Amino acid sequence: MPDRKISRCERGEGRLGFLFTLLILAAGGYFVSQSAPHYIHKVQMQDATTEIVRIAAMQNLSESDVRSRLSAKVHELDLPRDTKIEVKRSGKLVNASVSYTQNITLPFYTCVWPVSIQAQESGF
């Protein structure tokens, strides 16, 4: 009976690399699935803040009106309760900042993501 050389693939040595790659891809997919909703809410809040500040500068809204509109958007997007909203008005210039901390919960770790949104409009 002739001696036959066994190739590397036939001994199963290539499977470990594949399983490791599969594990890394699954972990990355899980992280994206947990963090994507928080990122989408951040972008939506950024757009809403910019729009509310623009409207406030054009319609000469008071600081309390701007703050209440931003608070309603925070509640709508279900952002953390400790969200800080600051509004400053100086003539036609309106500045607003929204800041909060978002926790992304993973199986063995909780990632803390500080979010700070700023918008400024002069009304011109």
Side-chain angles (χ1 to χ4, degrees):
M1 186 179 262
D3 286 331
R4 190 175 139 230
K5 290 189 174 185
I6 299 173
S7 71
R8 179 181 169 113
C9 292
E10 289 182 53
R11 292 185 289 183
E13 291 178 8
R15 292 183 186 156
L16 187 60
F18 172 73
L19 290 176
F20 184 70
T21 302
L22 191 61
L23 177 69
I24 295 297
L25 288 174
Y30 182 76
F31 179 76
V32 168
S33 72
Q34 295 298 310
S35 61
H38 300 300
Y39 179 76
I40 291 169
H41 287 155
K42 179 216 179 252
V43 170
Q44 289 173 336
M45 189 65 205
Q46 175 75 46
D47 292 343
T49 302
T50 303
E51 183 66 18
I52 290 168
V53 167
R54 186 184 65 78
I55 290 170
M58 305 262 307
Q59 296 179 358
N60 203 21
L61 297 177
S62 68
E63 289 181 10
S64 62
D65 289 338
V66 175
R67 192 173 292 108
S68 67
R69 289 181 184 202
L70 289 172
S71 295
K73 193 64 176 180
V74 164
H75 182 68
E76 176 186 327
L77 293 175
D78 198 28
L79 297 179
R81 293 181 189 263
D82 63 343
T83 300
K84 295 177 187 161
I85 299 172
E86 294 180 13
V87 179
K88 293 181 183 167
R89 182 173 192 86
S90 177
K92 285 273 194 182
L93 183 66
V94 179
N95 290 313
S97 66
V98 178
S99 59
Y100 59 94
T101 303
Q102 192 68 57
N103 294 330
I104 302 171
T105 305
L106 302 173
F108 303 107
Y109 182 70
T110 299
C111 183
V112 178
W113 182 29
V115 177
S116 179
I117 298 170
Q118 308 252 336
Q120 176 178 336
E121 183 66 44
S122 62
F124 294 109

